[in-house]
């Protein structure tokens, strides 16, 4: 949340003396002027645009660090306009520029990319010092370049351990979002920091946003097959609980992979640009570590599911049943989600079908974990209902594009001209789900589960009200792009959900 953001100049800031203001001001790029590492951004963008590019990395690495940077940044065109710049630092630089101070962009990034960044700010920078494809301008190399270029001295702004020596030699050392190791090293060196430019959110807020903890609500579908079958045994509920957390950790890992691949597109989006990787609040390298840990946890929990003791014979009669069927469904979910992130989300209509299918996979995984039979009625209802939610997600994205004057979604197969067709497809899918529910109630297939089956008809108007309200709000531009976020934050949705639960209880 934005309230968790820490930004501004630290209280340790002091006004520059006249002599200090006369020396040139040198600003690092990665992690300093820009909160992210632009080389990592370029690598991720290149992997997305050219999936076979990693095959050439050994050859590029053989050219040295400077040569590798040139190869990567020369192929991946990172848009400098949407980079996550440190806003308090930028404000300070413009203040110094107004006073006539010489300001240099000094970075280990390739000179071609560094010049693009400098050009983006017009005449803010007097010059650029950067790696040239042969010499990597970092650490001792950067210090020597400063000493040769600025014999009168320099003021430097950095953020990481490689900047330690430069800050120690700086007239007035400054830092931007400093790493903890750098802060401790400077304390040991007795190097007093003149200014700190902090622009980042709290660690806990960033972590929760990274793993998209609110999306775990979708995985409550794991419990639905057992609940609808009225199987509330300890064994079934424990199996569902383990499956819930297993799928949730797995889902978070795949969300992070998706965000890593979408950094460039997210930065152009008015809301998604605040995501941790796009905003530079979390390093992609840290994201890779979280992905690995979460996949291990997900698999460990999944392997525990079939080993829960049971005193009743298995009732599974569905697809892919067996002692490790949940693990298989977890694998299917993972592969499908990753395929969506890499390819399928850019395929028109295929993307929404896959999104709705992922909901149905959750139901099938829940049935496998609890050992209950999933009826064709539930499967048919979920296909149409979740297809409608997938369409409303795309509809809301296009509606936002219309409001912002864009014509085509970045990395998607849709344009604003498709908005009315998506509305038609989505609303028809919603009411197809209503029809399936009507057929289920009238079929008496589950009459043995309910004493007063006819009372379930009261759910029909509640469901019609909810889906109609969702699409009406979407048409007004008042719906959050993610219908799950809308559902868990909307009071009316909670009220209607409670009403449905009451109706089911009365029908028992």
């Amino acid at each position: 949340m934005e309230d968790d953001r820490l930004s501004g100049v630290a209280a340790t800031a002091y006004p520059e003396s006249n002599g200090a203001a006369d020396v040139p001001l040198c600003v690092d790029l990665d992690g300093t002027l820009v909160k992210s590492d632009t080389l990592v951004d370029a690598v991720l963008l290149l992997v997305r645009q050219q999936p076979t590019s990693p095959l050439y990395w050994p050859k590029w690495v053989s050219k040295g660090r400077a040569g590798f940077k040139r190869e990567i940044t020369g192929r991946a065109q990172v848009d400098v306009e949407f980079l996550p710049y440190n806003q308090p630092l930028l404000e300070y630089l413009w203040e110094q520029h107004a006073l006539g101070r010489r300001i240099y962009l000094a970075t280990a990034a390739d000179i071609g990319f560094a010049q693009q960044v400098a050009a983006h700010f017009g005449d803010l920078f007097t010059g650029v010092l950067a790696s040239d494809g042969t010499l990597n301008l970092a650490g001792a190399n950067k210090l020597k370049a400063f000493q040769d270029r600025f014999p009168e001295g320099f003021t430097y702004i950095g953020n990481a351990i490689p900047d330690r020596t430069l800050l120690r030699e700086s007239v007035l050392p400054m830092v931007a979002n400093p790493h903890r190791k750098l802060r401790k090293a400077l304390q040991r060196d007795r190097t007093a920091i003149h200014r700190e430019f902090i622009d980042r959110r709290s660690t806990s807020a960033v972590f929760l946003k990274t793993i998209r903890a609110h999306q775990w609500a979708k995985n409550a579908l794991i419990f639905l097959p057992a609940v609808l079958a009225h199987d509330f045994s300890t064994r079934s509920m424990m199996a569902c609980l383990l499956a819930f957390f297993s799928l949730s950790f797995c889902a978070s890992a795949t969300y992070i992979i998706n965000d890593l691949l979408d950094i460039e597109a997210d930065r152009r989006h008015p809301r998604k640009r605040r995501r941790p990787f796009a905003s530079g609040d979390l390093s992609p390298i840290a994201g890779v570590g979280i992905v690995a840990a979460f996949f291990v946890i997900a698999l460990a929990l999944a392997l525990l599911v079939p080993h829960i003791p049971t005193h009743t014979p298995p009732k599974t009669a569905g697809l892919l049943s067996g002692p490790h069927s949940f693990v298989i469904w977890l694998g299917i979910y993972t592969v499908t989600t990753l395929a969506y992130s890499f390819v399928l989300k850019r395929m028109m209509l295929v993307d929404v079908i896959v999104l709705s299918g992922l909901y149905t996979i959750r139901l099938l995984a829940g049935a496998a974990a609890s050992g209950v039979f999933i009826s064709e009625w539930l499967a048919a209802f979920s296909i149409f209902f979740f297809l409608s939610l997938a369409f409303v997600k795309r509809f809301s994205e296009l509606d936002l594009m219309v409001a912002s004057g864009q014509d085509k979604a970045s990395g998607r197969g849709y344009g604003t001209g498709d908005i009315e067709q998506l509305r038609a497809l989505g609303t028809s899918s919603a009411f197809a789900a209503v029809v399936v529910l009507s057929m289920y109630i009238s079929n008496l297939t589950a009459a043995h589960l309910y004493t007063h089956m006819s009372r379930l008809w009261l759910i029909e108007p509640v469901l019609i009200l909810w889906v109609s309200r969702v699409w009406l709000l979407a048409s007004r531009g008042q719906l959050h792009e993610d219908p799950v976020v809308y559902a868990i934050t909307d009071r009316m949705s909670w009220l209607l959900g409670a009403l449905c639960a009451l109706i089911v209880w009365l029908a028992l």
Side-chain angles (χ1 to χ4, degrees):
M1 296 181 292
E2 291 305 303
D3 291 341
D4 294 314
R5 182 172 292 282
L6 306 173
S7 63
V9 180
T12 53
Y14 302 98
E16 282 85 348
S17 64
N18 291 334
D22 291 337
V23 300
L25 178 61
C26 300
V27 186
D28 186 31
L29 177 63
D30 295 323
T32 304
L33 179 62
V34 175
K35 295 193 292 178
S36 65
D37 187 320
T38 58
L39 177 62
V40 176
D41 291 347
V43 165
L44 292 171
L45 179 60
L46 188 60
V47 168
R48 174 180 169 179
Q49 294 176 341
Q50 302 177 27
T52 60
S53 63
L55 298 175
Y56 300 95
W57 290 0
K59 178 181 178 181
W60 299 344
V61 169
S62 67
K63 298 180 180 181
R65 299 188 66 175
F68 179 74
K69 292 175 182 178
R70 171 151 294 187
E71 293 288 349
I72 293 290
T73 56
R75 288 172 169 78
Q77 299 302 312
V78 176
D79 194 334
V80 298
E81 179 183 355
F82 296 98
L83 288 173
Y85 295 103
N86 186 313
Q87 295 304 318
L89 174 55
L90 265 180
E91 292 172 7
Y92 173 74
L93 295 180
W94 280 114
E95 289 173 3
Q96 295 298 302
H97 176 266
L99 296 174
R101 190 169 187 180
R102 292 173 293 158
I103 304 175
Y104 291 84
L105 182 60
T107 173
D110 187 70
I111 183 68
F113 180 74
Q115 288 174 339
Q116 291 180 42
V117 174
H120 173 64
F121 293 103
D123 62 347
L124 175 63
F125 293 103
T126 306
V128 175
L129 289 78
S131 301
D132 60 4
T134 302
L135 178 67
N136 187 47
L137 197 72
N141 290 335
K142 185 182 286 189
L143 177 60
K144 185 178 186 305
F146 283 3
Q147 291 171 339
D148 293 342
R149 185 75 173 266
F150 313 118
E152 72 277 27
F154 60 89
T155 288
Y156 183 69
I157 306 177
N159 77 299
I161 279 292
D163 299 319
R164 179 181 181 179
T165 305
L166 295 154
L167 290 167
R168 198 163 49 197
E169 298 297 324
S170 176
V171 174
L172 288 177
M174 305 183 197
V175 293
N177 292 339
H179 293 182
R180 185 178 301 176
K181 289 183 179 180
L182 175 64
R183 194 185 293 276
K184 290 182 178 179
L186 293 177
Q187 288 175 350
R188 290 195 298 269
D189 296 340
R190 299 182 182 276
T191 301
I193 299 301
H194 179 68
R195 284 181 183 262
E196 293 187 23
F197 303 93
I198 308 299
D199 186 0
R200 62 188 175 196
R201 286 175 288 184
S202 65
T203 303
S204 58
V206 169
F207 179 75
L208 290 176
K209 196 171 183 66
T210 299
I211 67 173
R212 298 198 204 178
H214 64 279
Q215 296 285 5
W216 287 24
K218 296 178 182 178
N219 300 323
L221 292 172
I222 287 283
F223 294 89
L224 196 57
V227 170
L228 293 180
H230 299 179
D231 182 1
F232 298 100
S233 64
T234 302
R235 186 266 171 199
S236 182
M237 291 297 102
M238 283 298 297
C240 287
L241 189 63
L242 282 172
F244 169 81
F245 282 108
S246 174
L247 193 61
S248 295
F249 279 108
C250 180
S252 289
T254 58
Y255 287 140
I256 292 173
I257 293 173
N258 181 74
D259 288 350
L260 289 173
L261 295 173
D262 269 359
I263 287 178
E264 186 77 2
D266 286 349
R267 285 175 180 164
R268 293 183 171 88
H269 194 280
R271 181 180 59 82
K272 294 179 181 179
R273 65 187 178 191
R274 293 190 290 271
R275 286 177 173 175
F277 300 116
S279 66
D281 288 321
L282 186 66
S283 163
I285 296 175
V288 172
I290 296 174
V291 167
F294 275 26
F295 273 139
V296 170
I297 294 172
L299 181 59
L301 291 174
L303 291 173
L304 289 175
V305 171
H307 297 293
I308 294 180
T310 178
H311 300 290
T312 58
K315 296 176 287 182
T316 305
L319 185 63
L320 293 182
S321 60
H324 291 287
S325 55
F326 174 75
V327 177
I328 296 174
W329 281 115
L330 182 68
I332 292 173
Y333 173 86
T334 304
V335 171
T336 304
T337 305
L338 292 178
Y340 173 82
S341 296
F342 281 95
V343 180
L344 301 180
K345 69 180 177 182
R346 290 184 284 278
M347 299 175 66
M348 180 182 62
L349 298 181
V350 173
D351 61 332
V352 291
I353 293 174
V354 171
L355 282 177
S356 64
L358 288 171
Y359 286 102
T360 305
I361 288 175
R362 289 177 171 91
L363 292 172
L364 294 168
S370 57
V372 302
F373 175 74
I374 181 170
S375 73
E376 61 272 17
W377 295 106
L378 177 58
F381 174 84
S382 67
I383 288 172
F384 288 113
F385 182 75
F386 295 123
L387 184 60
S388 178
L389 294 186
F391 274 122
V392 82
K393 179 179 176 67
R394 290 291 175 262
F395 176 89
S396 298
E397 291 173 352
L398 290 180
D399 188 64
L400 183 62
M401 288 168 50
V402 171
S404 59
Q406 299 180 52
D407 295 324
K408 188 172 178 61
S410 176
R412 306 289 186 184
Y414 302 95
T416 53
D418 301 321
I419 193 167
E420 292 304 323
Q421 186 60 51
L422 290 182
R423 191 203 313 266
L425 293 171
T427 52
S428 60
S429 297
F431 285 95
V434 173
V435 171
V436 171
L437 179 60
S438 300
M439 295 173 65
Y440 168 74
I441 297 172
S442 61
N443 193 267
L444 298 179
T445 302
H448 65 287
L449 295 174
Y450 300 93
T451 305
H452 306 285
M453 187 76 174
S454 60
R455 294 179 183 177
L456 293 178
W457 282 106
L458 294 174
I459 294 178
E460 287 285 301
V462 178
L463 180 60
I464 292 172
L465 175 59
W466 191 82
V467 296
S468 299
R469 187 168 181 267
V470 165
W471 276 100
L472 186 59
L473 291 176
S475 297
R476 293 177 178 178
Q478 298 175 359
L479 185 73
H480 190 284
E481 289 178 41
D482 191 334
V484 173
V485 174
Y486 159 75
I488 63 179
T489 57
D490 178 57
R491 291 183 180 179
M492 179 61 74
S493 296
W494 280 95
L495 178 61
L496 295 178
L499 182 57
C500 286
L502 176 62
I503 294 171
V504 171
W505 181 73
L506 292 174
L508 293 175

